[in-house]
């Protein structure tokens, strides 16, 4: 009885503690990446990153996630059909050239954190290297303007 | 005297349970959505507009052809950068759930026929990897399609400021063999899809029990 009254009296502390644990368990550490994903990627690649059949590729199961080629597609877009190891795709992927290196880093880290179990965080310096690698390819493949 | 009370009470209970049961049976039937007008013969329910479109295999599809089936319809365009992929994903769930029910068809009307010609619709259907005898992608006159959408209770209009040039809602609408709208789901809200699938199964079963 005494214990119960003690728990009830300190109830707001308990509630606060539970909330902190709940928030820390569910919130992604990459909040900017999450917001960028929701605004720019989610309408096609879906909330769960699974895409749509053969038409919009799955990001959640992509073997390229986090690799330089993956970042290049974000920056340069894809106008031609994309080989997906299964079939071809017809939807255009717009180029997101306006993303800063920090935004790209947060976006890619958000996706990797969410969908890769053996995730290793990409640093801004690593992303800068990937961006310069991609920009070398710009001359080879013209980018699609962002809608 | 007391026995009389008991008999009266039992009779009332029996009458109540019967009326509740009949009520339940009436509620089992899907409602007719839209305006219902009383006529001399009974009532006239809202009916979807007349259409004559072409599918991805260059076949004519019109109201008469659709009267052989119950169908779900949505309005989309292949280059839509906003809600269409989400709605198509929900249509895909319906397609997969009702794969074996030959009474059920799916139709997707393009509201951008200028870009979505038969070839493009065929490519879209191929890439989706669906049974193209079950799911038809239809193209036709743009203005007629935009007007048709209204009769399906779907808002669709051309808007240069909207993403992709068209503004439209993502409703998925269930139509019976007589052309009446019987149920719908919000294609942008996946939680409403299972309810629509149940309604399609219920409607399909009601026709099969008549045969």
């Amino acid at each position: 009885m005494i214990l119960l009254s003690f728990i009830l009296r300190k109830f707001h502390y308990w509630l606060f503690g539970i909330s902190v644990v709940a928030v820390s368990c569910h919130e992604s550490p990459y909040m900017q990446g999450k917001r960028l994903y929701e605004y720019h990627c989610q309408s096609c690649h879906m909330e769960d990153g699974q895409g749509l059949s053969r038409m919009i590729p799955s990001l959640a199961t992509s073997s390229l996630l986090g690799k330089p080629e993956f970042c290049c597609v974000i920056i340069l877009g894809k106008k031609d059909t994309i080989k997906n190891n299964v079939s071809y795709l017809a939807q255009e992927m717009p180029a997101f050239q306006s993303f800063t290196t920090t935004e790209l880093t947060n976006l890619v880290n958000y996706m990797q954190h969410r969908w890769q179990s053996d995730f290793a965080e990409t640093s801004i310096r690593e992303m800068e290297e990937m961006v310069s690698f991609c920009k070398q390819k710009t001359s080879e493949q013209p980018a699609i303007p962002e809608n | 005297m007391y026995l009389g009370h008991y008999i009266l009470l039992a009779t009332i209970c029996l009458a109540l349970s019967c009326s509740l049961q009949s009520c339940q049976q009436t509620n089992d039937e899907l409602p007719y959505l839209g305006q219902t007008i009383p006529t001399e013969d009974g009532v006239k329910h809202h009916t979807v507009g007349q259409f004559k479109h072409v599918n991805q295999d260059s076949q004519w599809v019109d109201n008469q052809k659709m009267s052989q089936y119950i169908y779900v319809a949505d309005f989309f365009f292949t280059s839509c950068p906003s809600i269409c992929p989400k709605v198509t994903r929900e249509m895909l769930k319906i397609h997969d759930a009702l794969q074996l029910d030959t009474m059920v068809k799916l139709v997707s009307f393009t509201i951008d026929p200028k870009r979505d010609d038969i070839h493009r619709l065929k490519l879209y259907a191929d890439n989706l990897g669906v049974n193209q005898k079950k799911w038809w992608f239809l193209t036709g006159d743009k203005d007629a399609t935009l007007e048709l959408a209204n009769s399906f209770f779907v808002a669709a209009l051309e808007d240069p400021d909207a993403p992709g040039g068209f503004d439209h809602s993502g409703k998925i609408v269930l139509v019976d063999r007589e052309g009446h709208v019987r149920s719908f789901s919000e294609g942008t809200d996946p939680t409403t899809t299972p309810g629509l699938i149940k309604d399609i199964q219920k409607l399909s079963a009601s026709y099969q029990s008549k045969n």
Side-chain angles (χ1 to χ4, degrees), chain A residues 42-56 87-91 147, chain B residues 78-86 88-89 92 120 123-130:
Chain A
Q42 189 170 292
S43 65
C44 288
H45 293 282
M46 311 287 166
E47 195 279 327
D48 58 8
Q50 293 286 343
L52 178 62
S53 201
R54 284 174 289 176
M55 196 141 41
I56 299 168
S87 186
Y88 61 93
L89 306 151
Q91 294 285 88
N147 284 332
Chain B
T78 61
S79 54
C80 167
S82 56
I83 61 169
C84 301
K86 273 188 180 171
T88 303
R89 195 190 207 190
L92 198 56
R120 198 167 162 126
L123 184 67
Y124 190 85
D126 284 346
N127 281 346
L128 266 182
V130 296

Side-chain angles (χ1 to χ4, degrees), chain B residues 101-163:
Chain B
D101 191 338
T102 52
M103 166 80 81
V104 182
K105 294 272 185 210
L106 293 92
V107 295
S108 293
F109 293 92
T110 177
I111 53 174
D112 184 13
K114 194 177 171 187
R115 277 182 284 191
D116 293 341
D117 56 11
I118 293 164
H119 171 75
R120 198 167 162 126
L121 291 179
K122 183 72 181 167
L123 184 67
Y124 190 85
D126 284 346
N127 281 346
L128 266 182
V130 296
N131 175 359
Q132 295 187 38
K133 285 182 180 157
K134 188 167 195 72
W135 190 346
W136 290 330
F137 297 86
L138 306 179
T139 186
D141 179 73
K142 184 184 72 188
D143 292 334
T145 308
L146 293 177
E147 201 177 317
L148 181 71
N150 286 332
S151 73
F152 282 78
F153 307 120
V154 175
L157 56 121
E158 207 167 3
D159 178 3
D161 296 329

Side-chain angles (χ1 to χ4, degrees), chain A residues 30 34 36 47 87 89 107 112 135:
Chain A
Y30 304 103
K34 183 174 186 285
L36 287 168
E47 195 279 327
S87 186
L89 306 151
L107 176 61
Q112 284 189 281
K135 286 191 174 162

Side-chain angles (χ1 to χ4, degrees), chain B residues 51-92:
Chain B
F51 61 90
K52 191 175 184 183
H53 282 52
V54 183
N55 72 9
Q56 72 270 29
D57 291 318
S58 305
Q59 294 164 332
W60 286 109
V61 176
D62 59 8
N63 304 71
Q64 199 187 347
K65 187 160 190 169
M66 293 316 294
S67 69
Q68 301 167 59
Y69 312 103
I70 63 171
Y71 63 98
V72 284
D74 75 328
F75 291 78
F76 85 117
F77 56 111
T78 61
S79 54
C80 167
S82 56
I83 61 169
C84 301
K86 273 188 180 171
V87 178
T88 303
R89 195 190 207 190
E90 298 312 303
M91 287 285 277
L92 198 56

Side-chain angles (χ1 to χ4, degrees), chain A residues 7-26:
Chain A
I7 290 170
L8 284 174
R9 254 185 290 151
K10 302 289 178 189
F11 184 70
H12 54 288
Y13 290 118
W14 287 101
L15 198 66
F16 177 73
I18 291 165
S19 307
V20 168
V21 171
V23 166
S24 63
C25 286
H26 288 96

Side-chain angles (χ1 to χ4, degrees), chain A residues 83-99:
Chain A
K83 295 287 177 193
N84 196 28
N85 297 328
V86 184
S87 186
Y88 61 93
L89 306 151
Q91 294 285 88
E92 282 184 5
M93 165 76 188
F96 292 93
Q97 288 172 323
S98 58
F99 281 174

Side-chain angles (χ1 to χ4, degrees), chain B residues 1 9 47 65 98 108 167 179 205:
Chain B
M1 188 66 180
L9 196 67
T47 309
K65 187 160 190 169
L98 298 155
S108 293
D167 207 354

Side-chain angles (χ1 to χ4, degrees), chain A residues 93-142:
Chain A
M93 165 76 188
F96 292 93
Q97 288 172 323
S98 58
F99 281 174
T100 64
T101 311
T102 310
E103 285 174 330
L104 271 173
T105 310
N106 281 330
L107 176 61
V108 170
N109 278 331
Y110 166 72
M111 288 192 264
Q112 284 189 281
H113 174 260
R114 199 167 161 200
W115 295 312
Q116 276 184 346
S117 52
D118 55 344
F119 153 68
E121 190 175 84
T122 304
S123 67
I124 292 179
R125 184 167 290 255
E126 284 168 329
M127 184 55 74
E128 276 170 354
E129 285 169 15
M130 286 194 219
V131 170
S132 62
F133 165 77
C134 296
K135 286 191 174 162
Q136 283 172 6
K137 296 180 79 176
T138 316
S139 54
E140 297 163 28
Q141 184 196 319

